[in-house]
Amino acid sequence: MASSVLSLASAGPSASLSSNGIEKGKLNLGNCFKKEKTNLFLKTKSVGRISMVVASDVSRFEGITMAPPDPILGVSEAFKADNHELKLNLGVGAYRTEELQPYVLDVVKKADKLLLEKGENREYLPIEGLAAFNKVTAELLFGADNPVIKQQRVATVQGLSGTGSLRLAAALIERYFPGAKVLISSPTWGNHKNIFNDARVPWSEYRYYDPKTVGLDFEGMIADIKEAPEGSFILLHGCAHNPTGIDPTPEQWETIADVIQEKNHIPFFDIAYQGFASGSLDTDAASVRMFVARGMEVIAAQSYSKNLGLYAERIGAINVVCSSSDDAARVKSQLKRIARPMYSNPPVHGARIVASVVGDAALFKEWNAEMEMMAGRIMNVRQKLFDSLSSKDKSGKDWSFVLRQIGMFSFTGLNKAQCDNMTNKWHVYMTKDGRISLAGLSLAKCEYLADAIIDSYHNVS
Amino acid sequence: MDSVFAAIVQAPEDPILGVTVAYNKDQSPVKLNLGVGAYRTEEGKPLVLNVVRKAEQLLVNDQYRVKEYLPILGLAEFNKLSAKLILGDDSPAIQRNRVATAQCLSGTGSLRVGAEFLAKHYHEHTIYIPQPSWGNHLKVFTMAGLSVKTYSYYDPTTRGLNFRGLLEDLGAAPAGAVVLLHACAHNPTGVDPTVEQWEQIRKLIRSKGLLPFFDSAYQGFASGSLDADAQPVRMFVADGGECFIAQSYAKNMGLYGERVGALSIVCKAADVASRVESQLKLVIRPMYSNPPIHGASIASTILKNSDMYNEWKIELKAMADRIISMRKQLFDALTAKGTPGDWSHIIKQIGMFTFTGLNGDQVAFMTKEYHIYMTSDGRISMAGLSSGTVPHLADAIHAAVTRAS
């Protein structure tokens, strides 16, 4: 029995709180009903709302506002729209060749062909992902001979690259450590805050970048970590800090570990560049391994987007190193419980590529060589940029931070107005925090970039 | 040292996926997995469609292919083709740009993104799901921040649709509430409304201003016809109203593990769709940034190439036909054995699953004595049956039903 009920519900604002306490007002226009073509009749609702015939068809989502473009991904979109011949995209952190083309690793092409030949089925993976992948990913990060692996103390779950793996961990923290805070570096990758906000995990910042030295504010970092409530989660970039490119030294890492242990904090590593920073998988994992060697419990999110160039395949993992294998088994079961209502089970293709490459000695060796090549190109570009800046800039400003920073990104120290100048005058696209992606820079363009940076730094305030 | 994770308890095994875990442990040569809804051939093997292999060969041969991040909303071409697949090539809603589509991680991912969007932007946070429904629906919607209620659906006495109960329950729902509808091949019961019943459901939903959210996981897989299986969705879109649609290519393209799907939000106006799209990005970015490329590229390749599309339709129909044939064979076997009860629901129900009507005890008995693995609600996946294994299943059901309790 169908009935036509026509009423205009009253509009009312409703507020929602994000986890860092900012109130967001939402205006909803309630429900407006489409006029029935036959049998119109009016009904007064029992809650006392006045009913009337509605002529217009208003969407129930009319009140939704246009979201601002993603600051990082939005840069590429703006770049595409620019027709200037000298334009340079130093926005997204995706590796480019010297010819500024995207790069699919040879080992990945080989693996793709192999997989096609093998013709394996497409059945659902288990919720925790491909077993072969989980095995090699943990071994890659911690070292195959690491006692934590032998003792089965690592809960590893395949995740949707770095973002997805971080999100699983964030959900675990929200559920099992209610009220616990995550401390993130100031600055950090822009999406970290979004992840913790959406997961409803409170966060605060620890000092990290020192604009005076364009280096690490180590004292500030240590002081802020010490001050955090006991049992906080400290988000650390395992290597190649994004966006600054500034990493602690090995000695500084030891001190950071000391403080974290003192305060019973939990180290939470985001490792998106293992092998991509220095060219060596082991060197880039040194910080994580040092914490683990101290017997600490550690959370570590991994991504294969950059080091295997598998950006769009969304392949990564969340690892939780626990005190015992029993703890690890239980933690793993709860990570699965979080993944199931999010996407059920992870995508198989990228996982099989990683497992193929890492599992085959010849392919693994080739991969190491390609990774050295990519990291090497970035180091060469850093050198050339530094040389260009030093020779062109007569002011005596010290540009050596370009060489000290590591990985795909450099924090130039440019402020927002200066960044706008970079884009508007020089057609150099970068994020407004002053970050440039060296991966998007060629040797051929270093001089042009140096000119742009020098102009923006000295002539714009 | 005491773990910081000491308070974390072991989570129970997922009931549906847990069936396969138990099946794998069983050493019996006659074991039968009728748990997870994954298609099996007559030989009991998983199937990779020929057209999928062809598509992959094309992709591998394309030297210009890169693995750069997809946009947050996924592969644009895939999104357009997906919307056309479910809404029809000539859909006015598409032509008028009223549809916001995001590539998501199969059905689950599409449902979750849609639900998170509703929790954030819609004033009504209650969603009504049929009783029973796919076990993961409750968790998906709850985790997204919606509160879940049920509406009557399955009638155990007829093993069919409790239509009156459905209309009553939806009629009592608060204006604006969200209603989950299985587009076709209801999971777990296999019981679908008739076209006439769908029309009544549509009228009721529209008159109460309820927001329909379709879960379309079996388009083409249920009847063998892509258009027929999309009809209920299209009826709702044709009336100009709004709805959400979660699509999955897990079953109909056999792309299970690739996680291919799409969420479409049909809005009243193009500018609304455009704003909705922008807000969808804010839901997706903190969840996984952007979706996986491989499966969507395969689907896109097939959908846009008319020869491959036709090949796909043929392979799809073959899968649907095999399942329909299994239904007939099981029904005939039980009839021949004289198994007590009316088993006609086996051939009346549609899609991958049959709600046998067997209770938990009977299911446990069948697992223990006959090594039949199925979910405890009595659901069996017809896709897991073959001509060779139907007799064993019939024996098991017969034994379960006739044994002294």
Side-chain angles (χ1 to χ4, degrees):
Chain A
M1 174 204 83
S3 64
S4 305
V5 177
L6 302 157
S7 68
L8 182 63
S10 58
S14 67
S16 69
L17 288 166
S18 64
S19 60
N20 57 6
I22 298 165
E23 219 176 81
K24 291 188 281 191
K26 281 192 297 192
L27 186 69
N28 296 295
L29 290 177
N31 305 300
C32 301
F33 298 91
K34 187 173 161 75
K35 227 158 95 160
E36 278 286 332
K37 289 186 182 134
T38 56
N39 292 331
L40 286 170
F41 64 94
L42 301 175
K43 220 176 177 182
T44 305
K45 289 193 145 207
S46 57
V47 288
R49 289 190 194 139
I50 297 165
S51 304
M52 53 195 200
V53 174
V54 176
S56 65
D57 286 14
V58 182
S59 168
R60 60 197 78 222
F61 303 111
E62 181 55 44
I64 286 181
T65 56
M66 185 66 84
D70 181 280
I72 301 173
L73 302 176
V75 171
S76 286
E77 283 167 28
F79 171 81
K80 274 197 201 120
D82 186 335
N83 292 318
H84 197 271
E85 57 164 349
L86 292 175
K87 66 176 182 175
L88 195 50
N89 187 0
L90 303 182
V92 178
Y95 180 81
R96 294 284 175 269
T97 60
E98 173 64 24
E99 296 72 36
L100 297 185
Q101 294 303 312
Y103 182 61
V104 180
L105 276 70
D106 282 338
V107 285
V108 169
K109 288 184 188 169
K110 283 186 181 167
D112 263 336
K113 285 208 170 78
L114 272 171
L115 288 176
L116 187 59
E117 279 159 32
K118 258 191 192 172
E120 284 174 0
N121 68 46
R122 302 313 153 89
E123 296 299 284
Y124 291 125
L125 284 180
I127 303 173
E128 68 265 32
L130 186 68
F133 167 78
N134 288 345
K135 178 174 185 294
V136 302
T137 200
E139 288 176 352
L140 212 60
L141 182 57
F142 301 110
D145 299 326
N146 198 312
V148 298
I149 292 188
K150 295 194 164 160
Q151 294 160 18
Q152 301 184 305
R153 288 166 45 202
V154 188
T156 300
V157 168
Q158 178 187 337
L160 290 142
S161 203
T163 308
S165 305
L166 289 163
R167 181 62 181 263
L168 290 180
L172 187 79
I173 293 170
E174 190 272 340
R175 185 174 275 185
Y176 289 102
F177 299 87
K181 255 202 307 193
V182 173
L183 264 73
I184 64 181
S185 64
S186 172
T188 192
W189 178 47
N191 206 25
H192 278 143
K193 298 173 188 176
N194 299 329
I195 293 168
F196 295 117
N197 282 343
D198 271 35
R200 300 186 195 281
V201 174
W203 52 268
S204 67
E205 289 174 299
Y206 58 85
R207 280 167 282 174
Y208 194 81
Y209 173 62
D210 185 350
K212 290 196 264 19
T213 60
V214 195
L216 178 59
D217 176 2
F218 189 57
E219 274 173 29
M221 178 182 184
I222 294 300
D224 290 345
I225 293 176
K226 266 195 183 149
E227 216 201 306
E230 208 178 283
S232 296
F233 291 81
I234 313 297
L235 189 66
L236 303 159
H237 298 228
C239 65
H241 184 271
N242 177 359
T244 68
I246 299 161
D247 284 350
T249 62
E251 297 74 34
Q252 287 173 329
W253 272 123
E254 295 279 354
T255 308
I256 293 166
D258 287 339
V259 172
I260 288 178
Q261 270 182 306
E262 247 174 68
K263 299 284 313 203
N264 291 319
H265 292 326
I266 298 122
F268 183 174
F269 282 94
D270 183 353
I271 299 131
Y273 303 99
Q274 189 188 358
F276 197 92
S278 68
S280 155
L281 287 162
D282 290 324
T283 303
D284 290 344
S287 60
V288 187
R289 291 180 188 180
M290 182 269 286
F291 277 68
V292 170
R294 287 178 173 226
M296 296 169 80
E297 292 184 303
V298 172
I299 301 178
Q302 291 170 282
S303 165
Y304 290 88
S305 290
K306 286 87 175 174
N307 60 9
L308 255 175
L310 293 177
Y311 307 92
E313 304 283 1
R314 318 310 293 131
I315 179 66
I318 185 69
N319 301 278
V320 184
V321 181
C322 309
S323 299
S324 75
S325 59
D326 193 62
D327 292 311
R330 298 191 325 271
V331 166
K332 186 165 166 169
S333 75
Q334 293 297 346
L335 286 168
K336 283 166 63 172
R337 206 169 137 225
I338 290 165
R340 175 58 160 156
M342 215 185 269
Y343 48 82
S344 280
N345 38 73
V348 66
H349 196 72
R352 281 186 173 150
I353 293 176
V354 175
S356 302
V357 170
V358 181
D360 175 294
L363 287 176
F364 184 70
K365 197 159 167 227
E366 259 193 76
W367 176 34
N368 273 282
E370 285 192 271
M371 214 161 15
E372 265 186 60
M373 179 275 293
M374 290 192 287
R377 189 183 96 62
I378 289 177
M379 287 187 234
N380 287 345
V381 153
R382 282 187 180 278
Q383 186 67 54
K384 180 103 198 263
L385 179 61
F386 167 75
D387 292 341
S388 305
L389 285 164
S390 303
S391 69
K392 284 165 182 275
D393 183 21
K394 306 303 176 196
S395 76
K397 178 177 160 66
D398 180 4
W399 295 101
S400 63
F401 62 84
V402 172
L403 295 178
R404 281 196 304 275
Q405 290 166 2
I406 189 169
M408 202 177 263
F409 301 112
S410 236
F411 233 38
T412 54
L414 295 174
N415 65 33
K416 187 173 181 306
Q418 292 165 337
C419 290
D420 285 342
N421 185 65
M422 294 284 286
T423 305
N424 298 337
K425 182 171 172 190
W426 295 88
H427 305 273
V428 174
Y429 289 80
M430 53 194 284
T431 47
K432 302 301 179 195
D433 53 6
R435 182 190 89 166
I436 53 172
S437 167
L438 279 317
L441 183 61
S442 60
L443 290 169
K445 303 241 179 179
C446 283
E447 295 206 16
Y448 178 76
L449 180 60
D451 287 338
I453 291 174
I454 290 166
D455 172 58
S456 304
Y457 181 76
H458 288 297
N459 300 333
V460 178
S461 49
Chain B
M1 168 183 138
D2 224 20
S3 171
V4 299
F5 306 110
I8 293 185
V9 299
Q10 180 78 27
E13 196 65 65
D14 179 278
I16 301 174
L17 303 176
V19 169
T20 296
V21 170
Y23 167 85
N24 287 336
K25 289 196 181 128
D26 189 330
Q27 308 287 357
S28 163
V30 298
K31 65 179 180 174
L32 198 50
N33 187 358
L34 303 180
V36 179
Y39 181 81
R40 292 287 176 269
T41 61
E42 180 62 25
E43 295 70 39
K45 298 261 177 285
L47 176 69
V48 179
L49 300 185
N50 284 330
V51 75
V52 165
R53 289 192 207 278
K54 272 194 187 162
E56 278 188 313
Q57 190 66 65
L58 283 173
L59 295 170
V60 158
N61 292 346
D62 181 358
Q63 51 171 317
Y64 298 109
R65 279 206 86 221
V66 294
K67 295 204 189 260
E68 296 300 289
Y69 290 124
L70 285 180
I72 301 174
L73 297 178
L75 198 58
E77 183 180 66
F78 167 81
N79 289 345
K80 284 197 164 52
L81 293 163
S82 263
K84 283 191 172 176
L85 184 67
I86 187 70
L87 299 179
D89 280 331
D90 304 322
S91 167
I94 295 178
Q95 285 164 359
R96 287 172 205 156
N97 296 315
R98 293 198 288 116
V99 186
T101 304
Q103 177 196 337
C104 293
L105 283 118
S106 206
T108 308
S110 305
L111 290 165
R112 178 63 179 263
V113 169
E116 295 256 341
F117 179 90
L118 288 168
K120 215 171 158 187
H121 294 287
Y122 191 53
H123 65 286
E124 250 301 333
H125 288 180
T126 307
I127 182 165
Y128 284 77
I129 71 177
Q131 177 73 271
S133 193
W134 179 48
N136 205 22
H137 277 140
L138 174 62
K139 290 176 231 166
V140 169
F141 297 128
T142 305
M143 289 300 292
L146 298 178
S147 102
V148 180
K149 292 202 156 93
T150 59
Y151 59 90
S152 300
Y153 193 82
Y154 179 66
D155 184 347
T157 53
T158 60
R159 291 172 188 176
L161 181 62
N162 176 0
F163 191 49
R164 219 177 97 174
L166 181 156
L167 291 176
E168 265 170 32
D169 290 348
L170 291 186
V178 188
V179 179
L180 181 76
L181 301 162
H182 295 225
C184 68
H186 180 271
N187 177 1
T189 69
V191 171
D192 283 350
T194 61
V195 173
E196 295 74 29
Q197 289 172 329
W198 269 121
E199 173 60 14
Q200 284 190 265
I201 294 169
R202 183 195 68 78
K203 281 203 175 101
L204 175 61
I205 283 179
R206 291 314 191 196
S207 73
K208 296 229 44 167
L210 303 173
L211 176 60
F213 195 152
F214 283 97
D215 185 349
S216 174
Y218 301 99
Q219 188 186 358
F221 200 93
S223 69
S225 156
L226 289 160
D227 288 322
D229 290 346
Q231 208 184 358
V233 177
R234 293 178 188 180
M235 280 165 62
F236 275 76
V237 176
D239 70 11
E242 298 181 316
C243 66
F244 279 46
I245 306 162
Q247 282 172 282
S248 165
Y249 291 85
K251 285 88 175 174
N252 61 9
M253 273 196 192
L255 293 174
Y256 307 90
E258 304 282 1
R259 316 313 290 130
V260 193
L263 170 71
S264 280
I265 300 178
V266 182
C267 307
K268 281 254 162 77
D271 68 301
V272 175
S274 172
R275 285 179 268 129
V276 162
E277 212 178 73
S278 75
Q279 294 288 351
L280 277 173
K281 291 183 195 176
L282 297 190
V283 171
I284 292 168
R285 176 65 157 148
M287 216 187 269
Y288 51 84
S289 281
N290 37 71
I293 194 175
H294 195 74
S297 303
I298 294 171
S300 204
T301 303
I302 293 170
L303 291 173
K304 73 181 178 188
N305 177 308
S306 61
D307 284 342
M308 293 180 82
Y309 185 81
N310 289 330
E311 264 191 71
W312 173 45
K313 287 202 289 187
I314 292 169
E315 289 192 83
L316 182 50
K317 184 157 193 312
M319 289 195 286
D321 284 347
R322 195 183 91 66
I323 287 175
I324 291 169
S325 155
M326 289 303 103
R327 289 183 176 280
K328 181 106 198 349
Q329 287 185 34
L330 180 60
F331 172 73
D332 288 346
L334 291 170
T335 306
K337 292 176 90 67
T339 307
D342 175 5
W343 298 99
S344 62
H345 56 282
I346 293 177
I347 45 178
K348 285 185 200 153
Q349 291 166 4
I350 190 169
M352 200 176 269
F353 302 110
T354 291
F355 229 37
T356 55
L358 296 164
N359 64 40
D361 276 345
Q362 291 165 327
V363 170
F365 169 82
M366 285 168 58
T367 304
K368 184 157 183 285
E369 303 300 328
Y370 286 82
H371 307 275
I372 308 277
Y373 289 84
M374 53 194 278
T375 46
S376 56
D377 55 5
R379 182 191 88 163
I380 53 174
S381 168
M382 305 307 290
L385 271 178
S386 67
S387 308
T389 52
V390 162
H392 180 63
L393 177 59
D395 286 345
I397 292 175
H398 188 90
V401 166
T402 55
R403 71 182 179 131
S405 32

